[in-house]
């Protein structure tokens, strides 16, 4: 076995990591952890440090780590048939079964699922299908996509453009000019502090409608949004938000793409976030919880309305010119089938709906009065603690102070992994859906101790 020093050297010398300060990492100033094993909600590194992973990797290990049923399903699939493609109507028992299981769980107006590999490529697929859809309908001008500031939709060329976080744009020449960003539904960070939540919702809706009218509805194809903001800050929508937004889209013949990469498969205490908030999307993006990240797999779930036009398109033009070698990969599909069975048999969606709100409530009770805690918020098994310099005037810390990275590092020394969200001083929590109340108590206590260490 390699020593830790050998591994660290190979890592610095050879490995370009995603979303990493490359220079600091290569100089050895910011070593990451090398994780070796994991079980339930806990991960263990090569030095034997066991940590409660309160972010489930990257909010993806919904069923928890170390589930042997999924490992066996993957191994069985690899032994029987590691790969065959899905082009020209081909499939495997695993991919057809998973498609069936996804559609059993999807809202009734959805029709088919296309499988990709990750959330970013699924959103690339979605936008291509939306463009194809409007071309087939004879509306070639209707191509722009509206996303939201602080939305996160991936980091490809189009998906990174849809993302509304500056880190993912700067120096990459993004966003592409077919993408527009509208107001972020983030009540705590509203510009005008005098607005009530209802007034703020009305402003989000008015801003959207104004953008549509300014650009011309005949140029706008789709609106993409996470049912609840994730990477942009873990922010439940303000009261009445979706009820105000969806009719505007319908009125202007604009498709709604619900990016359910985080909210799908139980995270909000419901199977999907769209029905949770009363939304009827035309396309849904799924990934993460589809396999609980035991193998890479994503999907684009298409409504009857979209599917009918795609069928018409192939009748007129021949096979659809879109596909990846690894679309519907049998190993990902086998992992997905085993994962969805466990999600049901262990009642994990229900647990997320019970223990998640308990975590948020305990966090609010323990930290709500702290002078530097501006807001504690959450929905289902998603919680955020937003830190501020001053609560009363709602002034924020400078990013250069790195307050949240310091708090998260202090939590790590106490054995709990949380995420310093990329924009703003926001501590994010998205534990596996099997989190227990005792584990939630540990997360809260460690957060309180770490905030005390850094901010007093
Ligand atoms: N969409 C949402 C809502 C996400 O949170 C993410 C990733 O966190 C993505 C898309 C991109 O997924 P991936 O990183 O698998 O490409």
């Amino acid at each position: 076995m390699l020593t830790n020093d050998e591994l660290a050297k190979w890592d610095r010398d050879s490995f370009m990591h995603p979303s990493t300060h490359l220079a600091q990492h290569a100089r050895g100033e910011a070593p990451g952890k090398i994780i070796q094993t994991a079980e339930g909600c806990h991960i263990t590194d090569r030095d034997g440090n066991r940590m409660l992973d309160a972010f489930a990797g990257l909010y993806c290990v919904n069923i928890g780590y170390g589930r042997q049923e999924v490992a066996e399903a993957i191994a069985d699939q690899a032994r029987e048939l590691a790969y065959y493609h899905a082009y020209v109507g081909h499939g495997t028992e695993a991919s057809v079964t998973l498609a069936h299981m996804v559609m059993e769980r999807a809202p009734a107006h959805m029709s088919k699922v296309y499988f990709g590999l990750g959330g970013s490529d699924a959103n690339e697929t979605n936008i291509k299908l939306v463009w194809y859809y409007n071309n087939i309908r004879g509306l070639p001008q209707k191509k722009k996509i509206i996303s939201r500031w602080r939305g996160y939709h991936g980091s490809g060329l189009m998906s990174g453009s849809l993302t509304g976080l500056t880190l993912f744009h700067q120096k990459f020449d993004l966003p592409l000019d077919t993408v527009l960003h509208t107001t972020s539904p983030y009540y705590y960070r509203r510009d005008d502090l005098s607005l009530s939540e209802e007034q703020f919702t009305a402003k989000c809706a008015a801003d959207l409608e104004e953008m549509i009218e300014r650009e011309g509805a005949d140029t706008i194809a789709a609106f993409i949004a996470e049912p609840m903001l994730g990477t942009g800050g873990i922010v439940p929508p303000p009261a009445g938000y979706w009820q105000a937004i969806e009719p505007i889209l319908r009125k202007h013949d604009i498709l709604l793409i619900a990016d359910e990469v985080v909210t799908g498969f139980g995270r909000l205490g419901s199977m999907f976030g769209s029905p949770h908030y009363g939304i009827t999307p035309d396309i849904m993006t799924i990934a993460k919880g589809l396999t609980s990240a035991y193998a890479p797999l994503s999907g684009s779930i298409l409504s009857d309305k979209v599917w009918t036009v795609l069928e018409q398109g192939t009748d007129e033009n021949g096979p659809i010119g879109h596909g990846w070698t690894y679309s519907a990969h049998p190993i990902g599909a086998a992992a997905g089938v085993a994962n969805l069975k466990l999600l049901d048999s262990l009642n994990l969606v229900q647990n997320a709906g019970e223990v998640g709100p308990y975590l948020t409530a305990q966090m609010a009770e323990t930290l709500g009065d702290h002078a530097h805690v501006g807001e504690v918020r959450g929905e289902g098994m998603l919680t955020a603690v937003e830190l501020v310099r001053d609560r009363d005037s709602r002034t924020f810390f400078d990013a250069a102070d790195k307050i949240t990275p310091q708090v998260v590092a202090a939590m790590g020394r106490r054995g709990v992994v949380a995420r310093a969200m990329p924009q703003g001083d926001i501590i994010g929590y998205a534990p596996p859906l099997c989190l227990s109340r005792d584990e939630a108590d540990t997360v809260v206590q460690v957060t309180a101790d770490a905030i005390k260490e850094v901010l007093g």
Side-chain angles (χ1 to χ4, degrees), residues 58-59 118-121 123 152-154 226 231 259 261-262 287-288:
L58 287 172
Y59 21 44
S120 300
D121 72 71
N123 280 327
Y152 187 79
H153 302 291
E226 300 148 273
T231 303
D259 186 338
V261 166
V262 169
K288 301 190 189 272

Side-chain angles (χ1 to χ4, degrees), residues 12-51:
R12 286 193 306 276
D13 289 352
S14 311
F15 190 175
M16 175 174 164
H17 292 258
S19 279
T20 295
H21 190 308
L22 301 178
Q24 284 180 354
H25 187 82
R27 288 194 297 262
E29 294 163 11
K33 287 189 171 40
I34 306 282
I35 305 303
Q36 192 157 27
T37 61
E39 183 79 37
C41 293
H42 289 84
I43 57 175
T44 304
D45 70 15
R46 276 173 60 101
D47 298 318
N49 298 309
R50 188 169 175 268
M51 286 159 287

Side-chain angles (χ1 to χ4, degrees), residues 218-260:
D218 57 337
T219 70
I220 300 184
F223 176 78
I224 184 167
E226 300 148 273
M228 164 176 167
L229 279 178
T231 303
I234 305 191
V235 192
Y241 177 80
W242 280 113
Q243 285 59 46
I245 295 293
E246 195 171 357
I248 297 173
L249 305 175
R250 299 294 163 218
K251 180 170 132 196
H252 294 288
D253 183 26
I254 293 170
L255 294 175
L256 170 56
I257 305 172
D259 186 338
E260 296 250 14

